[in-house]
């Protein structure tokens, strides 16, 4: 079962299990960074169910999401594993029409079930809640995604309409000798554009949290960070002019500069 923005591994499809509380069923939650309209395509961008299972079995493995799974140059967005304690619920609401006929928003029967049922006579509605499983692990995509570089070049040298050169760079299936001998466009993007995928706001977060909303640097007491000024330069030139054989330590001792 996948709701917009969420992808749940180990989905349930059989009607016999719908109206039974399944606290023993352990699920994996993936907070997909987008609205999920097609479940198969969403899982495909995550590498498939096999890749999700492999990532879950490894301790420090991050779940990769590629918005263009068929593009070998696509930079992934990485989701980190978090511990959580949640329940996946199925809520079924039934309403009555004027002719007192009970309408159900779901096709599943709730007779002889262990689901929780609550009703409101004033609004002629009836609500049943079923626990589909428990969630102890969640993957959340809270980091930045790297820059994406498309395999496109101008059609005529340095000018013309931009055209896709992906088929000329990446073979489909087993490449033939003619494909290897053919010319290929120049395309060599870096492995990564950004060194880190997390926002570096530690300094300003603690700065604003303390109540100081100023973005100006505070005055620092003590000597300046550098001793390079006109006065010190003149002292060093004068010491060297007196005796050009002086060592750096002797000049430093005479001018009292380090």
């Amino acid at each position: 079962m996948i709701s917009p923005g969420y992808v749940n591994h180990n989905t349930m499809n059989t009607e016999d299990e719908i109206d039974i509380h399944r606290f023993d069923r352990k699920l994996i939650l993936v907070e997909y960074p987008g609205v999920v309209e097609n479940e198969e395509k969403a899982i495909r961008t995550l590498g498939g169910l096999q890749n999700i299972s492999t990532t879950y079995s490894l301790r420090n493995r991050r779940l990769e999401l590629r918005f263009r799974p068929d593009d070998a140059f696509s930079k992934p967005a990485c989701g980190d594993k978090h511990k959580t304690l949640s329940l996946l619920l199925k809520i079924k609401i039934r309403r009555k029409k004027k002719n007192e006929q009970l309408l159900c928003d779901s096709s599943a029967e709730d007779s002889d079930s262990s689901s929780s049922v609550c009703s409101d006579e004033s609004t002629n509605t009836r609500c049943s809640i079923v626990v589909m499983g428990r969630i102890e692990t969640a993957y959340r995509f809270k980091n930045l995604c790297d820059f994406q570089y498309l395999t496109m070049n101008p059609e005529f040298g340095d000018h013309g309409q931009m055209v896709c050169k992906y088929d000329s760079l990446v073979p489909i299936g087993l490449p033939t000798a003619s494909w290897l001998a053919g010319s290929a466009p120049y395309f060599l993007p870096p492995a990564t554009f950004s060194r880190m995928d997390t926002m570096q706001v530690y300094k300003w977060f603690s700065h604003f949290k303390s109540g100081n909303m100023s973005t100006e640097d505070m005055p620092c007491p003590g000597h300046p960070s550098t001793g390079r000024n006109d006065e010190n330069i003149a002292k060093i030139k004068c010491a060297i002019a007196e005796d050009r054989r002086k060592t750096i330590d002797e000049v430093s001792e005479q001018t009292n500069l380090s």
Side-chain angles (χ1 to χ4, degrees), residues 11 27 36 53 62 89 97 101 138 154 156 159 171 177 181 184 197 216 239 256:
T11 57
L27 305 176
V36 177
S53 300
R62 306 175 77 186
L89 304 178
K97 275 190 174 181
Q101 182 181 0
F156 304 105
H159 62 279
D197 60 355
E216 300 293 335
N256 197 20

Side-chain angles (χ1 to χ4, degrees), residues 57-87:
S57 63
L58 300 176
R59 183 176 180 181
N60 297 323
R61 180 77 173 270
R62 306 175 77 186
L63 183 61
E64 294 185 350
L65 186 150
R66 299 179 185 272
F67 293 99
R68 305 188 310 279
D70 295 330
D71 190 350
F73 299 99
S74 176
K75 306 295 183 182
C78 297
D80 296 319
K81 183 189 293 187
H82 297 271
K83 293 294 182 181
T84 185
L85 186 59
S86 306
L87 296 175

Side-chain angles (χ1 to χ4, degrees), residues 1 8-12 25-28 49 53 88 132:
M1 179 178 180
N8 291 280
H9 187 39
N10 294 336
T11 57
M12 295 144 293
R25 177 164 289 175
K26 189 176 180 181
L27 305 176
I28 302 172
L49 295 178
S53 300
L88 177 63
M132 308 296 289

Side-chain angles (χ1 to χ4, degrees), residues 15 29 36 47 63-64 91 101 126 134 138 149 154 157 159 170 199 201-202 210 217-218 236 244:
E15 295 184 359
L29 173 64
V36 177
L63 183 61
E64 294 185 350
I91 302 176
Q101 182 181 0
R126 186 180 180 184
R134 73 180 194 276
Y149 198 93
H159 62 279
V170 181
M199 294 179 290
V201 293
Y202 306 111
S210 62
D217 293 332
M218 299 296 292
I236 295 174
R244 295 183 179 274

